[in-house]
mmCIF file of all heavy atoms in Angstrom:
data_model
loop_
_atom_site.group_PDB
_atom_site.id
_atom_site.type_symbol
_atom_site.label_atom_id
_atom_site.label_comp_id
_atom_site.label_asym_id
_atom_site.label_seq_id
_atom_site.Cartn_x
_atom_site.Cartn_y
_atom_site.Cartn_z
ATOM 1 N N LEU B 1 0.712 -21.934 78.564
ATOM 2 C CA LEU B 1 2.058 -22.102 79.133
ATOM 3 C C LEU B 1 3.021 -22.321 77.969
ATOM 4 O O LEU B 1 2.805 -23.173 77.136
ATOM 5 C CB LEU B 1 2.080 -23.331 80.025
ATOM 6 C CG LEU B 1 1.175 -23.384 81.220
ATOM 7 C CD1 LEU B 1 1.323 -24.754 81.926
ATOM 8 C CD2 LEU B 1 1.475 -22.248 82.162
ATOM 9 N N GLN B 2 4.079 -21.537 77.921
ATOM 10 C CA GLN B 2 5.128 -21.740 76.938
ATOM 11 C C GLN B 2 6.320 -22.396 77.577
ATOM 12 O O GLN B 2 7.001 -21.821 78.413
ATOM 13 C CB GLN B 2 5.543 -20.424 76.280
ATOM 14 C CG GLN B 2 6.596 -20.566 75.175
ATOM 15 C CD GLN B 2 6.873 -19.258 74.466
ATOM 16 O OE1 GLN B 2 5.986 -18.481 74.254
ATOM 17 N NE2 GLN B 2 8.131 -19.032 74.103
ATOM 18 N N LEU B 3 6.593 -23.631 77.151
ATOM 19 C CA LEU B 3 7.707 -24.376 77.703
ATOM 20 C C LEU B 3 8.904 -24.237 76.800
ATOM 21 O O LEU B 3 8.920 -24.743 75.684
ATOM 22 C CB LEU B 3 7.293 -25.867 77.904
ATOM 23 C CG LEU B 3 5.983 -26.075 78.654
ATOM 24 C CD1 LEU B 3 5.679 -27.547 78.747
ATOM 25 C CD2 LEU B 3 6.063 -25.432 80.052
ATOM 26 N N HIS B 4 9.958 -23.538 77.297
ATOM 27 C CA HIS B 4 11.043 -23.149 76.391
ATOM 28 C C HIS B 4 12.376 -23.837 76.789
ATOM 29 O O HIS B 4 13.451 -23.404 76.360
ATOM 30 C CB HIS B 4 11.235 -21.628 76.479
ATOM 31 C CG HIS B 4 11.572 -21.002 75.140
ATOM 32 N ND1 HIS B 4 10.678 -20.401 74.366
ATOM 33 C CD2 HIS B 4 12.745 -20.931 74.488
ATOM 34 C CE1 HIS B 4 11.267 -19.946 73.276
ATOM 35 N NE2 HIS B 4 12.547 -20.254 73.314
ATOM 36 N N GLY B 5 12.271 -24.916 77.527
ATOM 37 C CA GLY B 5 13.466 -25.650 77.900
ATOM 38 C C GLY B 5 13.603 -26.980 77.240
ATOM 39 O O GLY B 5 13.171 -27.178 76.075
ATOM 40 N N GLY B 6 14.170 -27.926 77.930
ATOM 41 C CA GLY B 6 14.394 -29.282 77.373
ATOM 42 C C GLY B 6 13.278 -30.217 77.822
ATOM 43 O O GLY B 6 13.544 -31.436 77.936
ATOM 44 N N GLU B 7 12.082 -29.712 78.070
ATOM 45 C CA GLU B 7 10.976 -30.562 78.503
ATOM 46 C C GLU B 7 10.743 -31.675 77.470
ATOM 47 O O GLU B 7 10.606 -31.427 76.280
ATOM 48 C CB GLU B 7 9.719 -29.735 78.669
ATOM 49 C CG GLU B 7 9.790 -28.665 79.752
ATOM 50 C CD GLU B 7 10.326 -27.309 79.180
ATOM 51 O OE1 GLU B 7 10.636 -27.304 77.962
ATOM 52 O OE2 GLU B 7 10.365 -26.336 79.959
ATOM 53 N N THR B 8 10.638 -32.910 77.954
ATOM 54 C CA THR B 8 10.387 -34.062 77.102
ATOM 55 C C THR B 8 8.870 -34.057 76.692
ATOM 56 O O THR B 8 8.055 -33.401 77.378
ATOM 57 C CB THR B 8 10.677 -35.385 77.798
ATOM 58 O OG1 THR B 8 9.783 -35.561 78.914
ATOM 59 C CG2 THR B 8 12.127 -35.401 78.278
ATOM 60 N N PRO B 9 8.548 -34.853 75.665
ATOM 61 C CA PRO B 9 7.090 -34.956 75.348
ATOM 62 C C PRO B 9 6.295 -35.456 76.528
ATOM 63 O O PRO B 9 5.127 -35.010 76.739
ATOM 64 C CB PRO B 9 7.113 -35.963 74.212
ATOM 65 C CG PRO B 9 8.422 -35.756 73.545
ATOM 66 C CD PRO B 9 9.368 -35.492 74.657
ATOM 67 N N GLU B 10 6.859 -36.342 77.326
ATOM 68 C CA GLU B 10 6.156 -36.886 78.457
ATOM 69 C C GLU B 10 5.892 -35.810 79.516
ATOM 70 O O GLU B 10 4.859 -35.697 80.113
ATOM 71 C CB GLU B 10 6.944 -38.038 79.070
ATOM 72 C CG GLU B 10 7.036 -39.286 78.191
ATOM 73 C CD GLU B 10 8.016 -39.151 77.058
ATOM 74 O OE1 GLU B 10 8.906 -38.252 77.102
ATOM 75 O OE2 GLU B 10 7.932 -39.945 76.110
ATOM 76 N N ARG B 11 6.919 -34.954 79.689
ATOM 77 C CA ARG B 11 6.764 -33.834 80.658
ATOM 78 C C ARG B 11 5.714 -32.837 80.160
ATOM 79 O O ARG B 11 4.918 -32.331 80.948
ATOM 80 C CB ARG B 11 8.107 -33.154 80.836
ATOM 81 C CG ARG B 11 8.100 -31.906 81.730
ATOM 82 C CD ARG B 11 7.671 -32.205 83.140
ATOM 83 N NE ARG B 11 7.768 -31.029 83.979
ATOM 84 C CZ ARG B 11 7.033 -30.829 85.107
ATOM 85 N NH1 ARG B 11 6.150 -31.752 85.492
ATOM 86 N NH2 ARG B 11 7.150 -29.761 85.816
ATOM 87 N N VAL B 12 5.720 -32.552 78.867
ATOM 88 C CA VAL B 12 4.736 -31.609 78.337
ATOM 89 C C VAL B 12 3.341 -32.174 78.518
ATOM 90 O O VAL B 12 2.460 -31.432 78.974
ATOM 91 C CB VAL B 12 4.993 -31.399 76.833
ATOM 92 C CG1 VAL B 12 3.870 -30.629 76.153
ATOM 93 C CG2 VAL B 12 6.323 -30.726 76.602
ATOM 94 N N ALA B 13 3.132 -33.430 78.221
ATOM 95 C CA ALA B 13 1.812 -34.029 78.416
ATOM 96 C C ALA B 13 1.396 -33.995 79.877
ATOM 97 O O ALA B 13 0.208 -33.760 80.227
ATOM 98 C CB ALA B 13 1.825 -35.439 77.878
ATOM 99 N N ALA B 14 2.330 -34.255 80.798
ATOM 100 C CA ALA B 14 2.039 -34.278 82.198
ATOM 101 C C ALA B 14 1.647 -32.886 82.702
ATOM 102 O O ALA B 14 0.729 -32.741 83.487
ATOM 103 C CB ALA B 14 3.247 -34.822 83.000
ATOM 104 N N ILE B 15 2.367 -31.847 82.247
ATOM 105 C CA ILE B 15 2.068 -30.482 82.676
ATOM 106 C C ILE B 15 0.684 -30.098 82.170
ATOM 107 O O ILE B 15 -0.138 -29.528 82.906
ATOM 108 C CB ILE B 15 3.137 -29.536 82.111
ATOM 109 C CG1 ILE B 15 4.458 -29.716 82.843
ATOM 110 C CG2 ILE B 15 2.659 -28.076 82.214
ATOM 111 C CD1 ILE B 15 5.623 -28.964 82.261
ATOM 112 N N ARG B 16 0.389 -30.405 80.943
ATOM 113 C CA ARG B 16 -0.892 -30.090 80.363
ATOM 114 C C ARG B 16 -2.052 -30.727 81.148
ATOM 115 O O ARG B 16 -3.071 -30.145 81.425
ATOM 116 C CB ARG B 16 -0.912 -30.483 78.892
ATOM 117 C CG ARG B 16 -2.118 -30.005 78.093
ATOM 118 C CD ARG B 16 -1.946 -30.371 76.634
ATOM 119 N NE ARG B 16 -3.063 -29.884 75.862
ATOM 120 C CZ ARG B 16 -4.233 -30.490 75.683
ATOM 121 N NH1 ARG B 16 -4.427 -31.641 76.295
ATOM 122 N NH2 ARG B 16 -5.176 -29.946 74.912
ATOM 123 N N ALA B 17 -1.837 -31.999 81.479
ATOM 124 C CA ALA B 17 -2.861 -32.763 82.216
ATOM 125 C C ALA B 17 -2.992 -32.230 83.655
ATOM 126 O O ALA B 17 -4.157 -32.161 84.164
ATOM 127 C CB ALA B 17 -2.502 -34.220 82.241
ATOM 128 N N CYS B 18 -1.886 -31.900 84.267
ATOM 129 C CA CYS B 18 -1.919 -31.484 85.686
ATOM 130 C C CYS B 18 -2.522 -30.130 85.887
ATOM 131 O O CYS B 18 -3.364 -29.942 86.808
ATOM 132 C CB CYS B 18 -0.475 -31.490 86.241
ATOM 133 S SG CYS B 18 -0.296 -30.941 87.922
ATOM 134 N N PHE B 19 -2.222 -29.177 84.981
ATOM 135 C CA PHE B 19 -2.636 -27.794 85.230
ATOM 136 C C PHE B 19 -3.840 -27.388 84.410
ATOM 137 O O PHE B 19 -4.423 -26.296 84.642
ATOM 138 C CB PHE B 19 -1.464 -26.867 84.995
ATOM 139 C CG PHE B 19 -0.376 -27.039 85.994
ATOM 140 C CD1 PHE B 19 0.823 -27.749 85.677
ATOM 141 C CD2 PHE B 19 -0.482 -26.583 87.316
ATOM 142 C CE1 PHE B 19 1.788 -27.963 86.579
ATOM 143 C CE2 PHE B 19 0.525 -26.794 88.260
ATOM 144 C CZ PHE B 19 1.673 -27.468 87.868
ATOM 145 N N GLY B 20 -4.159 -28.143 83.389
ATOM 146 C CA GLY B 20 -5.364 -27.831 82.599
ATOM 147 C C GLY B 20 -5.228 -26.531 81.778
ATOM 148 O O GLY B 20 -6.187 -25.868 81.516
ATOM 149 N N VAL B 21 -3.948 -26.145 81.429
ATOM 150 C CA VAL B 21 -3.705 -24.956 80.648
ATOM 151 C C VAL B 21 -3.083 -25.379 79.313
ATOM 152 O O VAL B 21 -2.253 -26.309 79.280
ATOM 153 C CB VAL B 21 -2.737 -24.002 81.366
ATOM 154 C CG1 VAL B 21 -2.507 -22.776 80.561
ATOM 155 C CG2 VAL B 21 -3.325 -23.625 82.743
ATOM 156 N N LYS B 22 -3.473 -24.781 78.242
ATOM 157 C CA LYS B 22 -2.925 -25.081 76.920
ATOM 158 C C LYS B 22 -1.429 -24.851 76.908
ATOM 159 O O LYS B 22 -0.951 -23.889 77.524
ATOM 160 C CB LYS B 22 -3.603 -24.285 75.825
ATOM 161 C CG LYS B 22 -5.081 -24.680 75.632
ATOM 162 C CD LYS B 22 -5.675 -23.834 74.483
ATOM 163 C CE LYS B 22 -7.134 -24.266 74.267
ATOM 164 N NZ LYS B 22 -7.781 -23.489 73.174
ATOM 165 N N VAL B 23 -0.714 -25.676 76.152
ATOM 166 C CA VAL B 23 0.761 -25.619 76.155
ATOM 167 C C VAL B 23 1.312 -25.274 74.755
ATOM 168 O O VAL B 23 0.886 -25.848 73.745
ATOM 169 C CB VAL B 23 1.320 -26.947 76.613
ATOM 170 C CG1 VAL B 23 2.835 -26.980 76.400
ATOM 171 C CG2 VAL B 23 1.022 -27.219 78.091
ATOM 172 N N ILE B 24 2.246 -24.360 74.762
ATOM 173 C CA ILE B 24 3.027 -24.040 73.576
ATOM 174 C C ILE B 24 4.446 -24.591 73.844
ATOM 175 O O ILE B 24 5.070 -24.262 74.842
ATOM 176 C CB ILE B 24 3.188 -22.503 73.342
ATOM 177 C CG1 ILE B 24 1.818 -21.879 73.166
ATOM 178 C CG2 ILE B 24 4.077 -22.209 72.147
ATOM 179 C CD1 ILE B 24 1.856 -20.334 73.142
ATOM 180 N N LYS B 25 4.919 -25.510 72.985
ATOM 181 C CA LYS B 25 6.252 -26.072 73.164
ATOM 182 C C LYS B 25 7.238 -25.441 72.197
ATOM 183 O O LYS B 25 7.050 -25.484 70.987
ATOM 184 C CB LYS B 25 6.302 -27.581 72.996
ATOM 185 C CG LYS B 25 7.676 -28.202 73.178
ATOM 186 C CD LYS B 25 8.189 -28.013 74.597
ATOM 187 C CE LYS B 25 9.590 -28.546 74.776
ATOM 188 N NZ LYS B 25 10.662 -27.607 74.445
ATOM 189 N N ALA B 26 8.276 -24.828 72.713
ATOM 190 C CA ALA B 26 9.303 -24.220 71.870
ATOM 191 C C ALA B 26 10.333 -25.294 71.435
ATOM 192 O O ALA B 26 10.746 -26.100 72.253
ATOM 193 C CB ALA B 26 10.025 -23.130 72.632
ATOM 194 N N ILE B 27 10.703 -25.215 70.172
ATOM 195 C CA ILE B 27 11.691 -26.157 69.620
ATOM 196 C C ILE B 27 12.774 -25.307 68.928
ATOM 197 O O ILE B 27 12.491 -24.463 68.078
ATOM 198 C CB ILE B 27 11.048 -27.087 68.568
ATOM 199 C CG1 ILE B 27 9.980 -27.984 69.253
ATOM 200 C CG2 ILE B 27 12.071 -27.969 67.894
ATOM 201 C CD1 ILE B 27 9.189 -28.846 68.293
ATOM 202 N N GLY B 28 13.986 -25.560 69.328
ATOM 203 C CA GLY B 28 15.126 -24.815 68.694
ATOM 204 C C GLY B 28 15.501 -25.372 67.379
ATOM 205 O O GLY B 28 15.630 -26.607 67.227
ATOM 206 N N ILE B 29 15.650 -24.534 66.381
ATOM 207 C CA ILE B 29 15.963 -24.925 64.999
ATOM 208 C C ILE B 29 17.324 -24.380 64.614
ATOM 209 O O ILE B 29 17.525 -23.141 64.694
ATOM 210 C CB ILE B 29 14.902 -24.505 64.022
ATOM 211 C CG1 ILE B 29 13.506 -25.030 64.436
ATOM 212 C CG2 ILE B 29 15.284 -25.013 62.594
ATOM 213 C CD1 ILE B 29 13.351 -26.512 64.366
ATOM 214 N N GLY B 30 18.234 -25.218 64.231
ATOM 215 C CA GLY B 30 19.528 -24.761 63.718
ATOM 216 C C GLY B 30 19.827 -25.330 62.395
ATOM 217 O O GLY B 30 20.415 -24.658 61.529
ATOM 218 N N ASP B 31 19.389 -26.591 62.156
ATOM 219 C CA ASP B 31 19.586 -27.200 60.834
ATOM 220 C C ASP B 31 18.453 -28.219 60.644
ATOM 221 O O ASP B 31 17.596 -28.353 61.497
ATOM 222 C CB ASP B 31 20.960 -27.894 60.758
ATOM 223 C CG ASP B 31 21.202 -28.847 61.886
ATOM 224 O OD1 ASP B 31 20.304 -29.638 62.266
ATOM 225 O OD2 ASP B 31 22.331 -28.836 62.442
ATOM 226 N N SER B 32 18.486 -28.905 59.526
ATOM 227 C CA SER B 32 17.379 -29.825 59.138
ATOM 228 C C SER B 32 17.186 -30.968 60.167
ATOM 229 O O SER B 32 16.086 -31.470 60.286
ATOM 230 C CB SER B 32 17.572 -30.340 57.766
ATOM 231 O OG SER B 32 18.814 -31.049 57.657
ATOM 232 N N ALA B 33 18.261 -31.330 60.813
ATOM 233 C CA ALA B 33 18.137 -32.432 61.797
ATOM 234 C C ALA B 33 17.208 -32.094 62.902
ATOM 235 O O ALA B 33 16.565 -32.978 63.533
ATOM 236 C CB ALA B 33 19.537 -32.777 62.345
ATOM 237 N N ASP B 34 17.099 -30.806 63.280
ATOM 238 C CA ASP B 34 16.237 -30.390 64.380
ATOM 239 C C ASP B 34 14.781 -30.561 64.040
ATOM 240 O O ASP B 34 13.918 -30.570 64.982
ATOM 241 C CB ASP B 34 16.497 -28.908 64.741
ATOM 242 C CG ASP B 34 17.896 -28.734 65.284
ATOM 243 O OD1 ASP B 34 18.363 -29.620 66.039
ATOM 244 O OD2 ASP B 34 18.542 -27.693 64.974
ATOM 245 N N LEU B 35 14.396 -30.652 62.782
ATOM 246 C CA LEU B 35 13.016 -30.813 62.377
ATOM 247 C C LEU B 35 12.431 -32.126 62.929
ATOM 248 O O LEU B 35 11.180 -32.260 63.009
ATOM 249 C CB LEU B 35 12.862 -30.713 60.857
ATOM 250 C CG LEU B 35 13.324 -29.402 60.223
ATOM 251 C CD1 LEU B 35 13.129 -29.469 58.713
ATOM 252 C CD2 LEU B 35 12.604 -28.208 60.809
ATOM 253 N N ALA B 36 13.267 -33.101 63.173
ATOM 254 C CA ALA B 36 12.787 -34.353 63.709
ATOM 255 C C ALA B 36 12.110 -34.210 65.062
ATOM 256 O O ALA B 36 11.259 -35.046 65.442
ATOM 257 C CB ALA B 36 13.951 -35.366 63.835
#
């Protein structure tokens, strides 16, 4: 599952646990602050 929205870490963990499918989380990068 590729989650490409504003899903929080908690939501990502919940989806992974609920559906039992591996998760790819997309992170938007624009500048160094986004690396956090």
Side-chain angles (χ1 to χ4, degrees):
L1 300 177
Q2 181 174 323
L3 307 180
H4 218 99
E7 300 90 356
T8 65
E10 293 75 19
R11 175 62 175 155
V12 172
I15 289 172
R16 190 175 183 275
C18 178
F19 295 102
V21 181
K22 292 181 179 180
V23 170
I24 301 171
K25 179 64 183 88
I27 298 174
I29 305 293
D31 53 44
S32 59
D34 294 322
L35 300 179

